[in-house]
Each structure stands twice: as structure tokens, then as C-alpha cells.
Amino acid sequence: MLATSSPVAAADDFTLPFLNPAITLSYGMDRDSRIGVQLDWTGQVWFDSVPHLGRVYDQHTGLDYGMPVQTSVAAARSGTVVSLEEGFGTNQHGDYGNYVRVRHADGRDTLYYHLAQQGALVSVGQSVVAGQVIAKSGCSGNCTGPHLHFELLRPVSGAWQSVDPMAGHLWTTWPGRVAFLAAYVGESNGSTEVIKRLATITHWVDFRNTGGRTWLRDGSGDRILLGTWNPAGRASVFRATDWPATWIPTYLDPASVPPDGVGRFTFGLHAPATAGSYSEAFNLDASLSGWFDWARLGGFYVPIYVTSGQVQ
Ligand SMILES: [Zn+2]
């Protein structure tokens, strides 16, 4: 391997700066500094100054993602909050607006701009993990419609220079994913579990990691657990002795599951004393960044029939 003088970190450590995977790019960064010449993230050059939706607008230094005000904004990478502003009105337009700025271990910064009034959910000096919700979006500052302006900056000779994470393929997975997302794959019993009252059975469910972060069984921000849902974190009548808590059936079975891998969650279901039909809903949770989108898990629940008779 050739030695390199470049201090640039591995090109696999950024995720998208929000949690809703349905949000798309409105305008990317202009990688040509000349007025009237636009170089978009795909490499296409435009000799004009009109905005090109999905690609670029002239002199744009960051990435715009259209989203309703009060949408969750997530740290794209772990780091420390170095500055913020949240005193402007959510729709107060002008040169200055609300923002959060995070410094990363390699000296680069990410900037989250146009936030809502009091939209910073972190404080200066606070450590954040990738995927952690750090702010609520708005349309403050130089803004013509609600969106997040996300910008990656690197220090060059004492000044900050914008970097295009899309053209540089700096996302965890091309063309970029939100940090934490999962898709239902299958389970030990896809129909109704029939359990004799006060008996315990074992159930497992497989989810694919369709997000951009590696799931961990242990650890802090990336630890994934299965929790009770509707409402979140409700004590379950089906708690078995292997559950870590009344609302946590289990943590992830394997030590880690990378993006595109499948992770299994195995847990006991202990039937209550009262016979009847039940339905128990579950969702995944990443510590520090919160619950997954339950609808995208297929609205995962286990139908359970508790019988007073003998189970065949
Ligand atoms: Zn912008």
C-alpha cells in the first residue's frame, strides 16, 4: 500500500442528516466557484445560473433537503457541538438564521442550517453520535421554503472550505442512507403463537439493516434493542425471564450487523394466566437516537392466543 500525506479520514463514515428516508435532495453543492458555471454532484457542468432541481444551484456551498418545519435533524457523524444559534424565528428570513455546528475527530465540521426557533436540541460542548437527533428544522435565515441546509467543511490553511460529500462518496453507503433503518425479513412463526397459559415459548424475528450504521449488541449510540410499542416502552404482560427489562424483550443476538446484513432478535414470550387472544407490538430502538420507523418494520407485532387447554 502506498503511503499518503492526506489526512482525509475513511470515506465511509457519514450518514444522511435526518431520519426519514423519504426525504430527498433538492439542491446539491456547486463544485465550481465561478458565477454562471455549475458543477453538480454527478459531474455534469451547467453553463448557466438557473437552479437545477435534484442537482445544483449556482454558488451553493451545501446540500439542501426539503422537509416540513420541525422535522428531526440528525448528526451525520459522531462529534462535539462547537457552536449553535437558535434565537431567530422559525420563519425569520435574512442573512442569519439558526444552526448547529458539529466538529468531528478528523477536524472537519458539519453544519445544519435554517433550523427552527429554539430548534437546537443539544448544547455547545456536548458529544453527539451519528444518527442522534440534534435539532428541529425550520426556515430561518436565507431561506425561501422549509428545508435543511447541510454542509461539510474542512480546514484549509486556516480557512473553512466546503466539501461535497456526494461527489466525494463520503456517505456510508452510496448514495447515502439515514443512520438507523430496518426492514422485516421473517420470524420463527409468522402466524398466531398459541401458548398454554403460564407457559413460555421462544420467538425470533429477523430484520435487515437498511440504514447506514452498523448495529451493535453492546455499546452506546449504535446499540439496537427490541422494545414494546404502542405505546413505546410499555411494560409487557408477556415478559419472560430472559427479558432485560419489562419493555425490552432482547438486545440484538449477534455482536454486530453491518449495513445490508440481517440481524436476529430472539426472546421468550411468557403467557399470562388469563386465556384469550392478544396482540403484542414491538419496535427497534437505537440508544441515543431513538425509535425506528415502526411502519417500515412492517408494523411488527405478534398475534398470541393463550389457551387454558393442552398445546399440541
Ligand atoms: Zn442550501
Side-chain angles (χ1 to χ4, degrees), residues 22 45 81 107 112 164 166 213 231 233 240 245 259 262:
V45 182
V81 178
Y112 310 79
D164 188 347
M166 295 180 71
R213 301 287 301 177
V262 173

Side-chain angles (χ1 to χ4, degrees), residues 17-20 23 65-74 85-92 98 113-121 133-140 143 145-149:
F18 42 81
L19 297 179
N20 183 347
I23 292 171
Y65 293 95
M67 59 181 71
V69 298
Q70 297 294 334
T71 297
S72 291
V73 172
E85 170 62 58
E86 59 178 347
F88 294 98
T90 297
N91 291 289
Q92 184 177 342
N98 301 319
Y113 191 60
H114 305 308
L115 303 177
Q117 186 168 25
Q118 304 303 318
L121 306 180
V133 176
I134 58 171
K136 292 295 184 180
S137 70
C139 190
S140 59
C143 178
H147 74 284
L148 171 72
H149 173 102

